[in-house]
Structure formats: C-alpha cells, structure tokens
Amino acid sequence: VLERAVKAINDKRERSVMPEYGQRYIESIRGDDAGNPGDTLEKVAHYIDTHLEENLSVNALAGMAFLSADHLTRSFKKRYGKTVSEYILSQRMQLARELLRNSDLTITMVAGKVGFGSYSHFTEQFKKFYGMTPREFQKEGRKERWAGEKGFSAAFFCWRSSGAGAGQRYRFRRR
C-alpha cells in the first residue's frame, strides 16, 4: 500500500489526478511504516482531529488511507471503541464545548468551526450529545466564569424574583 502511495506521489501523471488533500495526507505518511494498521488508524484519527472544520466522510478518509470504508470502520471501532462517524461527532462536540466555554464566538461561528453547515443541525446534535442546547451551555459557562472572577461559587448563583428582596437581580454567597 505504501509503495503504491509513494509511486503515485512521484508519478506526475497520477499526482495531477489525485485530490490535494489526499496528496497532503500521503506526503505526511511518506517514509513512515504504514504497514502497521494501528499506525494508519492513528494517522486517520490525527487527520480527523486536525480537520474538524472540513466535510469529513468515511469514504474520503478510507480512500486517503488506502482502505475500504468497511475495513476502516471495523478496524477503527475495534481500536477506538466507536465508529469513524461517532469519533468525528464526539471530537466536534468536545471542540464545540471548549469554544463555547472559553471564547466569545457566536454559536453560528462555533458551528462553522467544528464542521457544521447549519446552526439548526449543530444545535440538534449538541443537544443530543450534552442534553442542553449550545445557548444554554454558553449561558451556564458565562455564569460560572463571572461568579469565579468575582469570588463566588456558581452553585449559589440564583435569581431573586419574590419576597422582601424582589427586584434584586442576583444573590450570591461567598465561597
């Protein structure tokens, strides 16, 4: 397999037909021991991790690794405990969670940065994965950050809507 890849890179006729992303991936494994299936799977996982904003399909990844889609899926699941598609989604959701928590990006911008073309599809997948919408998660993160900066525990963050102190926006207890 590696010999065919190296030959394809060196042969200008085949190189002109090969997609650019495939060329970059093959060049990245050139000289490595691609005969080790675990090594190939690590490279596929690394490619996924570094290209989350792109449209990633099992067929394209399998082609870049010179494997069939079925073989890649079976081997990947055996190695990582989840299918390629599940791995892509979990990596995207982890990155989205970090971006929502630690940046001031809008939810639409986060959706684009983690490879979702539509806000609604991103929101649907995020809610399935975490049990809350990205907006709810972002609000919780902002409360926690604000309370932490002010020296309060976010667990005691509450809204005062009735009683003697009605009209007070927030009530905190020191840590």
Side-chain angles (χ1 to χ4, degrees), residues 11-72:
D11 186 355
K12 292 185 193 261
R13 286 179 293 128
E14 290 182 39
R15 186 174 191 184
S16 65
V17 183
M18 188 180 286
E20 182 183 334
Y21 65 86
Q23 288 178 23
R24 284 184 288 162
Y25 180 74
I26 292 169
E27 287 169 356
S28 74
I29 65 170
R30 185 190 233 177
D32 292 346
D33 180 17
N36 180 353
D39 191 40
T40 301
L41 295 177
E42 286 176 21
K43 290 184 186 312
V44 169
H46 177 71
Y47 184 86
I48 292 168
D49 294 341
T50 57
H51 294 85
L52 289 173
E53 74 282 353
E54 296 176 14
N55 183 14
L56 300 170
S57 73
V58 175
N59 287 334
L61 293 168
M64 289 172 16
F66 295 99
L67 300 170
S68 72
D70 290 336
H71 182 69
L72 175 63

